[in-house]
């Protein structure tokens, strides 16, 4: 059923949705594995879609009251509110964190399923820098992609970048990229 929802939303706006099916459970678990449930502070999810990664984040041990999901699509935002009534769902623009989040305490992690490669490189870089400024020191900005290269290349002295191996069970295969703000 979620595959049908995704396909319909993708057909209406392929650049905003970026995929014709939700992330697979192995990819979702891989993304959530970079979160530390013992780290104090809220977690923000960008582009949760139907909630596959949302579920993995909760299963990782992040308390529902500590999770905020920012979803652009009205249909998906409503679905998330029904499926996860204890998390905060914001219908907004993930590229505009200042408006979508407002003043927010420092984040323990940020998980993104946004289709970054559909946006210009300057916009991708601006999002990652904005997100890193909102994270507690050492906390991850977690992003997946289907590409061979990272959405934004590492910038020594500004932020580091690590990656997972390929998650072959996902359709299409994907990998996880983890950005962390450089220590002062």
């Amino acid at each position: 059923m979620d595959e049908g929802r995704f396909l319909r939303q993708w057909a209406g706006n392929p650049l905003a949705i970026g995929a014709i099916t939700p992330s697979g459970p192995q990819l979702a678990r891989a993304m959530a594995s970079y979160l530390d449930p013992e780290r104090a502070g809220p977690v923000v999810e960008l582009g949760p879609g139907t909630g596959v990664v949302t579920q993995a984040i909760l299963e990782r041990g992040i308390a529902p009251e500590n999770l905020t999901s920012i979803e652009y699509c009205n249909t998906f935002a409503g679905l998330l509110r029904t499926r996860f009534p204890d998390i905060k769902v914001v219908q907004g623009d993930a590229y505009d964190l200042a408006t979508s989040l407002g003043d927010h305490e420092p984040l323990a992690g940020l998980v993104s399923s946004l289709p970054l490669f559909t946006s210009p490189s300057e916009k991708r870089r601006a999002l990652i820098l904005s997100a890193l400024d909102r994270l507690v020191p050492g906390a991850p900005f977690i992003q997946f992609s289907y590409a061979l290269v990272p959405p934004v290349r590492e910038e020594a002295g500004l932020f580091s970048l690590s990656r997972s191996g390929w998650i072959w069970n996902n359709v299409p295969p994907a990998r996880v990229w983890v950005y962390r703000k450089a220590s002062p």
Side-chain angles (χ1 to χ4, degrees):
M1 198 142 78
D2 282 348
E3 286 79 5
R5 283 187 182 101
F6 245 81
L7 185 57
R8 281 191 301 278
Q9 294 304 315
W10 177 84
N13 194 350
L15 294 180
I17 303 300
I20 59 171
T21 62
S23 299
Q26 293 87 355
L27 176 58
R29 284 192 297 274
M31 293 176 74
S33 75
Y34 290 96
L35 294 171
D36 179 358
E38 300 300 317
R39 186 185 301 265
V43 171
V44 169
E45 180 185 19
L46 306 178
T50 60
V52 175
V53 177
T54 311
Q55 185 64 45
I57 292 169
L58 296 172
E59 289 172 0
R60 176 77 177 144
I62 303 302
E65 61 272 13
N66 287 340
L67 180 59
T68 298
S69 293
I70 301 174
E71 175 54 55
Y72 186 78
C73 172
N74 182 46
T75 301
F76 289 157
L79 180 65
L80 291 165
R81 287 184 185 104
T82 300
R83 288 187 174 168
F84 305 101
D86 296 329
I87 72 168
K88 181 178 180 184
V89 176
V90 175
Q91 185 180 351
D93 184 355
Y95 283 97
D96 185 3
L97 292 175
T99 301
S100 295
L101 283 178
D103 288 331
H104 207 284
E105 67 182 287
L107 304 175
L110 200 147
V111 181
S112 171
S113 296
L114 297 175
L116 292 187
F117 279 103
T118 62
S119 294
S121 61
E122 305 82 33
K123 189 174 182 180
R124 297 189 305 246
R125 182 178 181 273
L127 170 68
I128 289 174
L129 291 175
S130 174
L132 291 173
D133 282 344
R134 295 173 174 278
L135 291 164
V136 298
F141 176 97
I142 304 157
Q143 174 70 49
F144 86 90
S145 83
Y146 309 119
L148 297 173
V149 297
V152 175
R153 296 196 183 279
E154 181 173 2
E155 294 184 36
L158 197 54
F159 56 84
S160 65
L161 175 62
S162 61
R163 68 174 188 238
S164 72
W166 285 101
I167 298 151
W168 296 105
N169 309 33
N170 199 67
V171 179
R175 65 171 25 151
V176 180
W177 302 91
V178 180
Y179 295 84
R180 294 181 197 273
K181 191 174 189 176
S183 300

